[in-house]
Amino acid sequence: MKKIILNNYDEVSRAAADVYVQQLRNKPDSVLGLATGSTPLGLYAELVRKYQSGEIDFSKACSFNLDEYYPIRKSHPQSYDSFMHANLFSKVNFAQSRLPNGEAEDPQAECIKYDAEIEAAGGIDLQLLGIGLNGHIGFNEPSASYPMSTNLVKLTESTLKANSRFFDASDSQPTQALTMGFGAIFHAKSILLIITGANKAPVSRKLFDGVIHTDIPASLLLLHPDVTVIMDREASGANGA
Ligand code: PGA
């Protein structure tokens, strides 16, 4: 696991965007695994800026997102579908983009279809990950066992609490999600994990103590041969967090 510590969120966003410039230069038809959450917002803004200035082109690339709430209408402002359209897809030129379908009537069938589509695309070249306060990646919550396939999961109290900030009191927050499993994530040729903010210092400290903690899903990434972690000083705990 390669670790890069930068001064702040903006530097992390810019460095992460450079990884995409390089990736698409080397392989314009890359299959990109994308993530939602607050952490990648700066990266996506940077990718939009680079696209507008002609520095990056997604026209041959396709993307698969890690997860989506279930059930949720795609048009719901807090669906990850809406998030991705608002922050990236409506502003750049991906050939094709796919998220797990939060409207699917049969979630199990949707999971099987999603994995088949990833496989048909040749698997993921570069998988972007954030990390939850509890160490989740995608919505793979701490558990005694981790499914390989895309699956329907029940969100933990800690994740529901962390994400409740996005939902109005009048809005019922979905308590389940469809998430890529460890199969597609681990088969990605390379993984880029971005971590920012002092609240992530405790979990990132555990990620780098050289031990696989089975209650911290992200610590399984120690087993992947090509993981780059770009983090800011606060998340690294360097500021005493
Ligand atoms: P965040 O979420 O980027 O909003 O902190 C990350 C995650 O929960 O995976």
Side-chain angles (χ1 to χ4, degrees):
M1 203 180 268
K2 183 174 157 200
K3 176 163 73 165
I4 299 168
I5 300 176
L6 300 172
N7 287 317
N8 53 45
Y9 181 85
D10 289 346
E11 286 188 15
V12 169
S13 301
R14 283 198 293 272
D18 288 340
V19 173
Y20 284 83
V21 172
Q22 207 50 55
Q23 175 71 33
L24 290 177
R25 221 169 257 167
N26 294 342
K27 187 171 188 252
D29 60 346
S30 288
V31 179
L32 302 177
L34 298 177
T36 50
S38 313
T39 317
L41 278 172
L43 159 63
Y44 292 158
E46 196 59 30
L47 290 178
V48 170
R49 200 190 58 71
K50 284 181 184 297
Y51 169 69
Q52 286 167 347
S53 68
E55 221 182 310
I56 193 165
D57 173 41
F58 299 90
S59 63
K60 294 192 171 62
C62 72
S63 70
F64 289 90
N65 261 78
L66 278 171
D67 46 18
E68 176 60 286
Y69 289 113
Y70 188 83
I72 197 163
R73 307 298 314 168
K74 287 184 187 177
S75 58
H76 189 290
Q78 295 309 330
S79 76
Y80 286 165
D81 202 283
S82 295
F83 175 100
M84 290 307 299
H85 277 89
N87 294 298
L88 192 64
F89 297 156
S90 64
K91 299 175 176 173
V92 300
N93 62 340
F94 272 105
Q96 216 180 338
S97 292
R98 178 83 155 88
L99 288 92
N101 182 4
E103 295 181 358
E105 277 184 21
D106 179 346
Q108 305 306 341
E110 169 62 10
C111 292
I112 292 168
K113 190 162 166 245
Y114 201 65
D115 282 336
E117 286 180 33
I118 294 172
E119 204 179 321
I124 292 165
D125 290 301
L126 172 62
Q127 177 64 55
L128 175 68
L129 295 175
I131 187 171
L133 293 172
N134 62 3
H136 74 197
I137 49 175
F139 271 135
N140 294 290
E141 302 283 33
S143 166
S145 57
Y146 295 104
M148 291 291 278
S149 340
T150 297
N151 62 103
L152 179 66
V153 292
K154 201 171 158 0
L155 301 175
T156 59
E157 280 307 314
S158 128
T159 298
L160 288 170
K161 191 162 164 249
N163 290 2
S164 63
R165 67 191 194 276
F166 299 115
F167 288 85
D168 294 339
S170 60
D171 226 359
S172 62
Q173 184 181 359
T175 56
Q176 299 181 93
L178 299 167
T179 185
M180 236 185 236
F182 275 83
I185 295 172
F186 264 77
H187 285 135
K189 292 185 188 68
S190 57
I191 293 178
L192 173 62
L193 169 60
I194 50 177
I195 317 179
T196 59
N199 62 343
K200 299 282 172 72
V203 74
S204 49
R205 208 174 290 124
K206 281 204 146 183
L207 191 58
F208 289 108
D209 67 4
V211 175
I212 294 172
H213 300 273
T214 49
D215 59 342
I216 300 189
S219 89
L220 297 176
L221 295 173
L222 287 167
L223 297 169
H224 190 283
D226 186 357
V227 180
T228 301
V229 185
I230 307 182
M231 64 203 309
D232 64 7
R233 287 174 58 78
E234 284 191 338
S236 76
N239 291 357

